[in-house]
């Protein structure tokens, strides 16, 4: 033990050993620099995969903006292969960053529309494309993908910034009738992808999956390790492929979104228990349209006692000013019983089940969205994506 300590002390006076320690110390400092991503980690990753890290090394990346660059060429190649790009395709890429995926897309497609909000990334992307002779096939849109009107495209391939996954998906799939595309191959946060892929009865099944499955089909492709990104995110990712449906159910989307919001507010609660809540009944009372009654009669049905917090269950025998709500409650229970939904839980219902229940409600004059209001545009839909998905 004493001999080892003496050897170490002797080495500290050795110029070669001392120089090595200083280099190691400074390299360790760089891994915790203000750049927020380890320079040393990035360099080792670049050497491992043969990446030209000069461009990435000249720019500061921000995790808060979802700037995680995919650097593993094997994963990049897999994404491009999975996308099934044809030579005459125009590919939409959102958040291209420094262009690791963009360059591979340009090799396979006729053209690429790259939407990037960061001016610094735009300059690097333009330079790298020019060096490969792709400048004429690359259309860079410098702006916010959620606010930008996309040029025409027929395929989407992108490493989506985690923070805009929901609104971007809503914009793409609910706008597919205006801007149709063949498929979207997307790299998403793993947990988000699992929720997207969930089926009725799964613990992850949720309103996101329900509203997505109404208009699109989602397939799992592969998982991607967080170690394949610079800077390294806290979680792993997954690649999914989304196919917009050519035919969607004939349903009022505003009504559907409001209905699913009500059902999935407590997805593991029975529908009977959900619709017994006085607050929910009070909300529906404002929209109730008793079948066969005049407008004046309809107004009388909407008279109710607004006192109280509305969290308690409504007793159908409480009478008085709550009489209208009690009658509405009886109507709702009757609808649920007629369709066999009274003891069902939203987390176990398919889209067909939910569509049938909504039809039964509407047929009985029970609505979830104010029919007097105008239809939501696609922009309004994705802007309210947290409510939709």
């Amino acid at each position: 033990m004493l001999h080892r300590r003496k050897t170490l002390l002797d080495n500290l006076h050795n110029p070669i050993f001392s120089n090595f320690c200083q280099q190691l110390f400074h390299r360790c400092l760089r891994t915790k620099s203000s750049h927020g991503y380890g320079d040393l980690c990035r360099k080792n990753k670049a050497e491992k995969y043969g990446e030209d890290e000069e461009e990435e090394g000249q720019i500061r990346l921000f995790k808060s903006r979802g700037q995680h660059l995919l650097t593993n060429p094997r994963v990049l190649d897999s994404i491009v292969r999975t996308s099934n790009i044809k030579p005459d395709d125009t590919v939409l890429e959102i958040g291209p960053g420094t262009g690791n995926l963009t360059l591979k897309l340009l090799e396979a497609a006729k053209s690429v529309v790259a939407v990037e909000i960061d001016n610094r990334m735009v300059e690097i992307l333009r330079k790298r494309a020019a060096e490969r002779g792709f400048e004429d096939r690359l259309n860079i849109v410098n702006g916010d993908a959620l606010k930008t009107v996309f040029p025409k495209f027929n395929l989407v391939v992108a490493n989506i910034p985690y923070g805009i996954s929901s609104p971007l998906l809503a914009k793409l799939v609910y706008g597919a009738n205006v801007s149709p595309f063949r498929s979207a191959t997307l790299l998403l946060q793993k947990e988000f992808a699992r929720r997207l892929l969930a089926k009725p009865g799964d613990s992850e099944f949720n309103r996101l999956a329900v509203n997505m499955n109404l208009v699109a089909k989602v397939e799992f492709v592969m998982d991607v390790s967080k170690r394949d990104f610079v800077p390294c995110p806290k979680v792993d990712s997954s690649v999914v492929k989304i196919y917009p449906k050519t035919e969607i159910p004939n349903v009022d989307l505003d009504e559907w979104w409001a209905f699913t919001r009500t059902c999935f507010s407590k997805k593991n609660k029975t529908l009977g228990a959900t619709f017994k809540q006085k607050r929910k009944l009070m909300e529906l009372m404002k929209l109730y349209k008793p079948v066969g009654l005049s407008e004046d009669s309809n107004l009388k049905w909407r008279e109710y006692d607004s006192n109280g917090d509305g969290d308690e269950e409504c007793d159908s025998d409480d009478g008085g000013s709550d009489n209208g709500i009690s009658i509405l409650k009886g109507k709702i229970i009757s609808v649920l019983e007629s369709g066999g939904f009274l003891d069902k839980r939203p987390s176990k219902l398919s889209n067909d089940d939910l569509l049938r229940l909504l039809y039964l409600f509407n047929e009985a004059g029970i609505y979830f969205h104010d029919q007097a209001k105008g239809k939501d545009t696609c922009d309004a839909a994705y802007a309210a994506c947290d409510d939709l998905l």
Side-chain angles (χ1 to χ4, degrees):
M1 186 67 171
L2 291 176
H3 176 70
R4 284 187 178 181
R5 184 176 299 175
K6 183 176 184 303
T7 302
L8 178 59
L9 290 173
D10 290 341
N11 283 336
L12 288 176
H13 297 288
N14 186 316
I16 298 176
F17 184 80
S18 177
N19 183 53
F20 169 79
C21 289
Q22 290 180 22
Q23 291 180 6
L24 179 61
F25 175 72
H26 288 299
R27 291 175 75 184
C28 289
L29 281 181
R30 287 199 298 273
T31 66
K32 298 182 180 292
S33 69
S34 60
H35 290 285
Y37 66 102
D39 289 348
L40 179 58
C41 178
R42 186 195 65 245
K43 183 176 180 180
N44 288 342
K45 186 184 292 291
E47 291 174 351
K48 179 179 179 181
Y49 295 120
E51 281 287 307
D52 177 10
E53 59 97 38
E54 179 182 356
E55 301 291 353
E56 296 174 7
Q58 293 176 356
I59 192 167
R60 180 178 179 180
L61 302 176
F62 297 95
K63 290 184 179 181
S64 61
R65 300 179 187 175
Q67 292 179 338
H68 300 280
L69 307 183
L70 181 61
T71 58
N72 188 333
R74 292 191 294 275
V75 176
L76 291 166
D77 289 338
S78 295
I79 291 174
V80 174
R81 283 196 304 271
T82 300
S83 304
N84 295 322
I85 301 173
K86 298 178 181 178
D88 59 346
D89 278 335
T90 296
V91 179
L92 173 67
E93 183 186 9
I94 293 129
T98 57
N100 291 341
L101 177 59
T102 313
L103 295 178
K104 292 183 179 294
L105 295 175
L106 286 166
E107 292 174 356
K110 176 182 178 181
S111 61
V112 173
V113 176
V115 182
E116 175 58 61
I117 194 171
D118 193 328
N119 294 329
R120 306 168 307 153
M121 300 287 189
V122 169
E123 293 304 316
I124 293 175
L125 185 59
R126 186 173 287 116
K127 178 181 177 182
R128 294 185 72 184
E131 290 174 350
R132 299 285 190 90
F134 292 142
E135 62 268 34
D136 293 338
R137 293 160 56 187
L138 176 62
N139 177 11
I140 301 177
V141 178
N142 187 193
D144 186 339
L146 298 181
K147 301 176 182 178
T148 298
V149 177
F150 299 142
K152 296 191 70 171
F153 64 94
N154 57 324
L155 209 63
V156 185
V157 185
N159 170 20
I160 302 299
Y162 293 163
I164 65 169
S165 297
S166 286
L168 189 58
L169 280 178
K171 180 173 183 176
L172 289 173
V173 298
Y174 281 100
N177 60 328
V178 178
S179 301
F181 59 92
R182 193 165 72 250
S183 68
T185 304
L186 306 176
L187 183 59
L188 304 167
Q189 185 175 337
K190 186 175 182 178
E191 181 182 356
F192 183 86
R194 290 294 181 268
R195 293 177 58 227
L196 199 64
L197 292 158
K199 304 298 181 184
D202 294 346
S203 59
E204 299 95 345
F205 189 61
N206 57 90
R207 192 165 173 244
L208 167 67
V210 167
N211 285 335
M212 180 61 65
N213 289 336
L214 181 74
V215 294
K217 177 184 176 184
V218 186
E219 292 182 354
F220 171 78
V221 177
M222 63 180 176
D223 289 327
V224 179
S225 171
K226 58 187 176 183
R227 293 186 295 272
D228 292 325
F229 294 86
V230 172
C232 183
K234 294 181 180 179
V235 296
D236 291 329
S237 299
S238 295
V239 177
V240 300
K241 195 166 184 179
I242 300 173
Y243 301 90
K245 293 181 178 178
T246 55
E247 295 182 4
I248 63 174
N250 183 22
V251 62
D252 183 321
L253 289 179
D254 296 290
E255 180 70 7
W256 169 260
W257 294 329
F259 169 67
T260 56
R261 181 179 63 247
T262 296
C263 293
F264 281 85
S265 59
K266 300 289 183 181
K267 68 175 185 176
N268 292 317
K269 205 171 189 177
T270 65
L271 290 167
T274 296
F275 285 102
K276 285 180 182 179
Q277 299 301 314
K278 185 175 181 180
R279 176 172 293 170
K280 179 51 61 181
L281 290 168
M282 289 166 64
E283 292 173 2
L284 295 178
M285 192 70 182
K286 300 175 183 178
L287 306 174
Y288 184 38
K289 296 181 179 180
V291 178
L293 294 185
S294 65
E295 186 62 28
D296 290 340
S297 299
N298 281 344
L299 291 175
K300 293 180 180 179
W301 283 101
R302 296 186 178 87
E303 295 177 356
Y304 59 88
D305 182 7
S306 60
N307 296 327
D309 60 13
D311 287 334
E312 71 278 7
E313 287 191 5
C314 178
D315 185 351
S316 60
D317 298 324
D318 56 8
S321 58
D322 283 339
N323 187 55
I325 295 181
S326 299
I327 295 176
L328 174 60
K329 175 191 171 186
K331 188 73 172 178
I332 290 175
I333 297 303
S334 176
V335 169
L336 292 173
E337 287 179 337
S338 68
F341 292 104
L342 187 63
D343 296 324
K344 300 290 186 180
R345 304 176 193 277
S347 60
K348 297 184 182 299
L349 295 180
S350 68
N351 274 39
D352 288 341
D353 292 330
L354 291 167
L355 285 165
R356 185 165 69 92
L357 177 56
L358 178 58
Y359 171 78
L360 292 175
F361 273 134
N362 289 171
E363 192 178 40
I366 300 166
Y367 293 89
F368 298 82
H369 173 75
D370 190 348
Q371 303 299 302
K373 292 183 178 180
K375 304 293 184 184
D376 276 348
T377 62
C378 177
D379 287 345
Y382 81 78
C385 66
D386 286 339
D387 183 47
L388 300 183
L389 304 181

